[in-house]
Amino acid sequence: MCGIIAAISRKNIINILKEGMIRLEYRGYDSSGLAIIDNKNKILRFREKGKVNNLIKSIERSHLFGNIGIAHTRWATHGKALKKNAHPHISSNISIVHNGVIENYKEIKICLKKEGYQFSSDTDTEVIAHLIHFTQNKNNKKTLLTVIQNVTKKLKGNYSMVIMDKNNPNVLLAVRSGSPLLIGIGKEENYITSDQIALLAITQRFIYLHEGDIAILTHSDITVFNSHGISKKRKETQSKINFNNVSKGLFRHYMEKEIHEQPHSIRNTILNRLTKNKTIYFSEFNTRANKILSKTEHIHIVACGTSYHAGLVSKYWFESLSMIPCDVEVASEFCYRKFVVRKNSLLLIISQSGETADNLTALRTAKNLGYLGSLAICNSKSSSLVYETDFSLLTHAGIEIGVASTKAFTAQLTVLLMLVAKFINIKKHNIKLEHDIVNILNILPDRIESILRYKNTIYTLAKKLFYKKNIIFLGKGEQYPIALEGALKIKEISYIHAEGYPIGELKHGTLALVDSKIPIIIIAPNNNLLQKIKLNIEEIQAREGLIYIFSDLFTKFNQNNSNIIRFPYIENLISPIFYSVSLQLLAYYIALIKGNNIDQPRNLAKSVTVE
Ligand code: AGP
């Protein structure tokens, strides 16, 4: 949600912090701030409401110089998006930036107020700053490390953070708890960030902190202590992400770029996973994973938002193709209801980021409930989700920066279809079907290329819809979750109210909304459900509904031709992936025509690390 970048060097670190914040802005963008210790050993802090650019303008006037500093981009949790609530928060010599939520901050605040501390923000983070200062003053012989170890014992919740102390101006302390923090290694300088993207322009060398780790950084040394206070050597990894891949290139927005990258991201996702014998090979699966899969009699999918929609599509596939019963639910509901775990059930969590708090809570809640095991489908190898599940499958979509998920979604569906084929093989149901899936996955990237060629047609439709207040999306079977996903994309970036429904459900209430003004987009591929869809279309037409049908070049409809958006032929198995791309383009063009901030829609953040 929020982004952290910190640096310690012999040189001026201001540009590192500025560049880092710009790169992290996609994670949270309602306010930002930085603090440095200058050469007179004074803490200088700058904070601004709104975009990082506002902060950068105010810093540029000040010609700052510092060898040590911390910075933050914020997505508000406690307290509105105001300058006073932006990080860093300061308590005398201590300044901190923090990702996460302190659940017991109110209790601690009451105690600190009794000790005479005054609060200038509404945040939970300021409480940590004062608590560190209080603990340090009470135990003035203790090292900063011991103080932080004592403080973390008192905090409940998530508190990945970086601490800078004016009285120890040659060190930065980092604590990982609940959300990722990694150390970047430079030449005669070191860095801390919540996302490697912030540092890729200056280093590819990273150390991922483990849960509970506390790291001490100087410009030349890195020491890591685990949650028991024992010094640990953590592995250094070389990032494989190309810095150029995190720029927009010739595209206007990351979302536009990511939509167009889908043939490539799907090719990456299937790479080395489709064998010559037309079977699926997952190098990630060890003997234990394969054993769990062969015992699996039920799949319980848990996810949020777009990833939840990927799960809903796969339910149709798991049940109709591999004959495995499957239930899908949103993580925030799963955590807070009593349910019965089915016999030999596999918990499958789908997430682009692997940091979504609702998913992590669901996983931790499910740990001792009797699932056979937990499997993650995720786009981030170093995420908490991959770390905490029993085994995982990576989507290899590449970093997704646009807040609206596009290429991560189609990569999730691709992995899910491969997993379905894997189950068909394990359960020895219908080997021909497994081969068919492999054949079809091989041509999927080309099929996505073919729908991308229709962007002008979709742009023309966007011009008819951008001023509307409501849009209804309808689908049947596997296309019903695609209707939900189309509606989510529209809400998210074009701020038009949209709903997705199963087309047969419309007559049970929502039909009352239908008139000649509300656009109704119907996904109607040429499959065994088409006749039923046509009947439902007649019902809508009888009420003068404003219908737009997404179908193929050959299917006949009774409707006015100008309202039928015709795409090339698509194989039924992969048609949900295919049509989802057309809806991504539609949402993108509507938001573009409206002039919205497409990559950073209002009130949202890329990964939602709070419940
Ligand atoms: C998608 O466009 C959204 N930004 C959002 O629904 C997202 O899919 C959801 O927050 C789940 O995120 P995750 O996949 O990273 O867990």
mmCIF file with all atom_site columns, all heavy atoms in Angstrom, residues 562-573:
data_model
loop_
_atom_site.group_PDB
_atom_site.id
_atom_site.type_symbol
_atom_site.label_atom_id
_atom_site.label_alt_id
_atom_site.label_comp_id
_atom_site.label_asym_id
_atom_site.label_entity_id
_atom_site.label_seq_id
_atom_site.pdbx_PDB_ins_code
_atom_site.Cartn_x
_atom_site.Cartn_y
_atom_site.Cartn_z
_atom_site.occupancy
_atom_site.B_iso_or_equiv
_atom_site.pdbx_formal_charge
_atom_site.auth_seq_id
_atom_site.auth_comp_id
_atom_site.auth_asym_id
_atom_site.auth_atom_id
_atom_site.pdbx_PDB_model_num
ATOM 1   N N   . SER A 1 562 ? -25.044 -2.743  -35.819 1.00 0.00 ? 562 SER A N   1
ATOM 2   C CA  . SER A 1 562 ? -24.080 -1.767  -35.298 1.00 0.00 ? 562 SER A CA  1
ATOM 3   C C   . SER A 1 562 ? -23.846 -1.982  -33.801 1.00 0.00 ? 562 SER A C   1
ATOM 4   O O   . SER A 1 562 ? -22.907 -1.452  -33.236 1.00 0.00 ? 562 SER A O   1
ATOM 5   C CB  . SER A 1 562 ? -24.564 -0.348  -35.556 1.00 0.00 ? 562 SER A CB  1
ATOM 6   O OG  . SER A 1 562 ? -25.708 -0.119  -34.775 1.00 0.00 ? 562 SER A OG  1
ATOM 7   N N   . ASN A 1 563 ? -24.728 -2.727  -33.165 1.00 0.00 ? 563 ASN A N   1
ATOM 8   C CA  . ASN A 1 563 ? -24.544 -2.981  -31.740 1.00 0.00 ? 563 ASN A CA  1
ATOM 9   C C   . ASN A 1 563 ? -23.883 -4.329  -31.453 1.00 0.00 ? 563 ASN A C   1
ATOM 10  O O   . ASN A 1 563 ? -23.849 -4.773  -30.315 1.00 0.00 ? 563 ASN A O   1
ATOM 11  C CB  . ASN A 1 563 ? -25.884 -2.904  -31.011 1.00 0.00 ? 563 ASN A CB  1
ATOM 12  C CG  . ASN A 1 563 ? -26.331 -1.460  -30.899 1.00 0.00 ? 563 ASN A CG  1
ATOM 13  O OD1 . ASN A 1 563 ? -25.728 -0.595  -31.501 1.00 0.00 ? 563 ASN A OD1 1
ATOM 14  N ND2 . ASN A 1 563 ? -27.366 -1.219  -30.132 1.00 0.00 ? 563 ASN A ND2 1
ATOM 15  N N   . ILE A 1 564 ? -23.383 -4.961  -32.491 1.00 0.00 ? 564 ILE A N   1
ATOM 16  C CA  . ILE A 1 564 ? -22.666 -6.225  -32.277 1.00 0.00 ? 564 ILE A CA  1
ATOM 17  C C   . ILE A 1 564 ? -21.183 -5.981  -32.528 1.00 0.00 ? 564 ILE A C   1
ATOM 18  O O   . ILE A 1 564 ? -20.796 -5.505  -33.609 1.00 0.00 ? 564 ILE A O   1
ATOM 19  C CB  . ILE A 1 564 ? -23.195 -7.339  -33.209 1.00 0.00 ? 564 ILE A CB  1
ATOM 20  C CG1 . ILE A 1 564 ? -24.703 -7.482  -32.986 1.00 0.00 ? 564 ILE A CG1 1
ATOM 21  C CG2 . ILE A 1 564 ? -22.484 -8.658  -32.923 1.00 0.00 ? 564 ILE A CG2 1
ATOM 22  C CD1 . ILE A 1 564 ? -25.375 -8.434  -33.937 1.00 0.00 ? 564 ILE A CD1 1
ATOM 23  N N   . ILE A 1 565 ? -20.384 -6.228  -31.508 1.00 0.00 ? 565 ILE A N   1
ATOM 24  C CA  . ILE A 1 565 ? -18.938 -6.004  -31.630 1.00 0.00 ? 565 ILE A CA  1
ATOM 25  C C   . ILE A 1 565 ? -18.348 -7.364  -31.971 1.00 0.00 ? 565 ILE A C   1
ATOM 26  O O   . ILE A 1 565 ? -18.369 -8.278  -31.130 1.00 0.00 ? 565 ILE A O   1
ATOM 27  C CB  . ILE A 1 565 ? -18.329 -5.474  -30.305 1.00 0.00 ? 565 ILE A CB  1
ATOM 28  C CG1 . ILE A 1 565 ? -19.262 -4.511  -29.572 1.00 0.00 ? 565 ILE A CG1 1
ATOM 29  C CG2 . ILE A 1 565 ? -16.926 -4.900  -30.531 1.00 0.00 ? 565 ILE A CG2 1
ATOM 30  C CD1 . ILE A 1 565 ? -19.649 -3.280  -30.288 1.00 0.00 ? 565 ILE A CD1 1
ATOM 31  N N   . ARG A 1 566 ? -17.842 -7.488  -33.200 1.00 0.00 ? 566 ARG A N   1
ATOM 32  C CA  . ARG A 1 566 ? -17.439 -8.811  -33.675 1.00 0.00 ? 566 ARG A CA  1
ATOM 33  C C   . ARG A 1 566 ? -15.930 -8.985  -33.620 1.00 0.00 ? 566 ARG A C   1
ATOM 34  O O   . ARG A 1 566 ? -15.181 -8.187  -34.177 1.00 0.00 ? 566 ARG A O   1
ATOM 35  C CB  . ARG A 1 566 ? -17.931 -9.004  -35.102 1.00 0.00 ? 566 ARG A CB  1
ATOM 36  C CG  . ARG A 1 566 ? -19.462 -9.078  -35.163 1.00 0.00 ? 566 ARG A CG  1
ATOM 37  C CD  . ARG A 1 566 ? -19.905 -9.561  -36.513 1.00 0.00 ? 566 ARG A CD  1
ATOM 38  N NE  . ARG A 1 566 ? -21.363 -9.631  -36.596 1.00 0.00 ? 566 ARG A NE  1
ATOM 39  C CZ  . ARG A 1 566 ? -22.076 -10.660 -36.168 1.00 0.00 ? 566 ARG A CZ  1
ATOM 40  N NH1 . ARG A 1 566 ? -21.489 -11.677 -35.608 1.00 0.00 ? 566 ARG A NH1 1
ATOM 41  N NH2 . ARG A 1 566 ? -23.390 -10.648 -36.290 1.00 0.00 ? 566 ARG A NH2 1
ATOM 42  N N   . PHE A 1 567 ? -15.515 -10.052 -32.916 1.00 0.00 ? 567 PHE A N   1
ATOM 43  C CA  . PHE A 1 567 ? -14.100 -10.385 -32.798 1.00 0.00 ? 567 PHE A CA  1
ATOM 44  C C   . PHE A 1 567 ? -13.824 -11.679 -33.571 1.00 0.00 ? 567 PHE A C   1
ATOM 45  O O   . PHE A 1 567 ? -14.755 -12.400 -33.936 1.00 0.00 ? 567 PHE A O   1
ATOM 46  C CB  . PHE A 1 567 ? -13.738 -10.577 -31.317 1.00 0.00 ? 567 PHE A CB  1
ATOM 47  C CG  . PHE A 1 567 ? -13.937 -9.329  -30.503 1.00 0.00 ? 567 PHE A CG  1
ATOM 48  C CD1 . PHE A 1 567 ? -14.963 -9.239  -29.570 1.00 0.00 ? 567 PHE A CD1 1
ATOM 49  C CD2 . PHE A 1 567 ? -13.111 -8.237  -30.699 1.00 0.00 ? 567 PHE A CD2 1
ATOM 50  C CE1 . PHE A 1 567 ? -15.158 -8.077  -28.838 1.00 0.00 ? 567 PHE A CE1 1
ATOM 51  C CE2 . PHE A 1 567 ? -13.297 -7.069  -29.970 1.00 0.00 ? 567 PHE A CE2 1
ATOM 52  C CZ  . PHE A 1 567 ? -14.320 -6.994  -29.043 1.00 0.00 ? 567 PHE A CZ  1
ATOM 53  N N   . PRO A 1 568 ? -12.528 -12.014 -33.752 1.00 0.00 ? 568 PRO A N   1
ATOM 54  C CA  . PRO A 1 568 ? -12.231 -13.257 -34.481 1.00 0.00 ? 568 PRO A CA  1
ATOM 55  C C   . PRO A 1 568 ? -12.726 -14.481 -33.720 1.00 0.00 ? 568 PRO A C   1
ATOM 56  O O   . PRO A 1 568 ? -13.042 -14.407 -32.526 1.00 0.00 ? 568 PRO A O   1
ATOM 57  C CB  . PRO A 1 568 ? -10.700 -13.273 -34.558 1.00 0.00 ? 568 PRO A CB  1
ATOM 58  C CG  . PRO A 1 568 ? -10.258 -11.929 -34.159 1.00 0.00 ? 568 PRO A CG  1
ATOM 59  C CD  . PRO A 1 568 ? -11.332 -11.291 -33.363 1.00 0.00 ? 568 PRO A CD  1
ATOM 60  N N   . TYR A 1 569 ? -12.696 -15.603 -34.422 1.00 0.00 ? 569 TYR A N   1
ATOM 61  C CA  . TYR A 1 569 ? -13.076 -16.886 -33.804 1.00 0.00 ? 569 TYR A CA  1
ATOM 62  C C   . TYR A 1 569 ? -12.166 -17.171 -32.608 1.00 0.00 ? 569 TYR A C   1
ATOM 63  O O   . TYR A 1 569 ? -10.971 -16.908 -32.653 1.00 0.00 ? 569 TYR A O   1
ATOM 64  C CB  . TYR A 1 569 ? -12.933 -18.002 -34.850 1.00 0.00 ? 569 TYR A CB  1
ATOM 65  C CG  . TYR A 1 569 ? -12.920 -19.378 -34.222 1.00 0.00 ? 569 TYR A CG  1
ATOM 66  C CD1 . TYR A 1 569 ? -14.117 -19.983 -33.820 1.00 0.00 ? 569 TYR A CD1 1
ATOM 67  C CD2 . TYR A 1 569 ? -11.709 -20.050 -33.991 1.00 0.00 ? 569 TYR A CD2 1
ATOM 68  C CE1 . TYR A 1 569 ? -14.101 -21.227 -33.216 1.00 0.00 ? 569 TYR A CE1 1
ATOM 69  C CE2 . TYR A 1 569 ? -11.690 -21.291 -33.383 1.00 0.00 ? 569 TYR A CE2 1
ATOM 70  C CZ  . TYR A 1 569 ? -12.885 -21.871 -32.999 1.00 0.00 ? 569 TYR A CZ  1
ATOM 71  O OH  . TYR A 1 569 ? -12.877 -23.094 -32.395 1.00 0.00 ? 569 TYR A OH  1
ATOM 72  N N   . ILE A 1 570 ? -12.743 -17.722 -31.544 1.00 0.00 ? 570 ILE A N   1
ATOM 73  C CA  . ILE A 1 570 ? -11.911 -18.098 -30.391 1.00 0.00 ? 570 ILE A CA  1
ATOM 74  C C   . ILE A 1 570 ? -12.362 -19.466 -29.875 1.00 0.00 ? 570 ILE A C   1
ATOM 75  O O   . ILE A 1 570 ? -13.562 -19.734 -29.762 1.00 0.00 ? 570 ILE A O   1
ATOM 76  C CB  . ILE A 1 570 ? -11.934 -17.019 -29.274 1.00 0.00 ? 570 ILE A CB  1
ATOM 77  C CG1 . ILE A 1 570 ? -10.981 -17.374 -28.146 1.00 0.00 ? 570 ILE A CG1 1
ATOM 78  C CG2 . ILE A 1 570 ? -13.326 -16.772 -28.725 1.00 0.00 ? 570 ILE A CG2 1
ATOM 79  C CD1 . ILE A 1 570 ? -9.535  -17.288 -28.501 1.00 0.00 ? 570 ILE A CD1 1
ATOM 80  N N   . GLU A 1 571 ? -11.402 -20.298 -29.528 1.00 0.00 ? 571 GLU A N   1
ATOM 81  C CA  . GLU A 1 571 ? -11.698 -21.622 -28.983 1.00 0.00 ? 571 GLU A CA  1
ATOM 82  C C   . GLU A 1 571 ? -12.393 -21.426 -27.639 1.00 0.00 ? 571 GLU A C   1
ATOM 83  O O   . GLU A 1 571 ? -12.001 -20.570 -26.843 1.00 0.00 ? 571 GLU A O   1
ATOM 84  C CB  . GLU A 1 571 ? -10.408 -22.424 -28.780 1.00 0.00 ? 571 GLU A CB  1
ATOM 85  C CG  . GLU A 1 571 ? -9.708  -22.861 -30.050 1.00 0.00 ? 571 GLU A CG  1
ATOM 86  C CD  . GLU A 1 571 ? -8.978  -21.731 -30.773 1.00 0.00 ? 571 GLU A CD  1
ATOM 87  O OE1 . GLU A 1 571 ? -8.924  -20.613 -30.236 1.00 0.00 ? 571 GLU A OE1 1
ATOM 88  O OE2 . GLU A 1 571 ? -8.497  -21.971 -31.889 1.00 0.00 ? 571 GLU A OE2 1
ATOM 89  N N   . ASN A 1 572 ? -13.389 -22.241 -27.384 1.00 0.00 ? 572 ASN A N   1
ATOM 90  C CA  . ASN A 1 572 ? -14.211 -22.062 -26.195 1.00 0.00 ? 572 ASN A CA  1
ATOM 91  C C   . ASN A 1 572 ? -13.400 -22.066 -24.895 1.00 0.00 ? 572 ASN A C   1
ATOM 92  O O   . ASN A 1 572 ? -13.626 -21.249 -24.003 1.00 0.00 ? 572 ASN A O   1
ATOM 93  C CB  . ASN A 1 572 ? -15.279 -23.160 -26.174 1.00 0.00 ? 572 ASN A CB  1
ATOM 94  C CG  . ASN A 1 572 ? -16.387 -22.801 -25.221 1.00 0.00 ? 572 ASN A CG  1
ATOM 95  O OD1 . ASN A 1 572 ? -16.688 -21.609 -25.057 1.00 0.00 ? 572 ASN A OD1 1
ATOM 96  N ND2 . ASN A 1 572 ? -16.959 -23.783 -24.580 1.00 0.00 ? 572 ASN A ND2 1
ATOM 97  N N   . LEU A 1 573 ? -12.433 -22.990 -24.808 1.00 0.00 ? 573 LEU A N   1
ATOM 98  C CA  . LEU A 1 573 ? -11.678 -23.138 -23.551 1.00 0.00 ? 573 LEU A CA  1
ATOM 99  C C   . LEU A 1 573 ? -11.009 -21.839 -23.102 1.00 0.00 ? 573 LEU A C   1
ATOM 100 O O   . LEU A 1 573 ? -10.933 -21.548 -21.912 1.00 0.00 ? 573 LEU A O   1
ATOM 101 C CB  . LEU A 1 573 ? -10.571 -24.178 -23.762 1.00 0.00 ? 573 LEU A CB  1
ATOM 102 C CG  . LEU A 1 573 ? -10.783 -25.560 -23.210 1.00 0.00 ? 573 LEU A CG  1
ATOM 103 C CD1 . LEU A 1 573 ? -9.601  -26.443 -23.557 1.00 0.00 ? 573 LEU A CD1 1
ATOM 104 C CD2 . LEU A 1 573 ? -10.968 -25.521 -21.699 1.00 0.00 ? 573 LEU A CD2 1
#
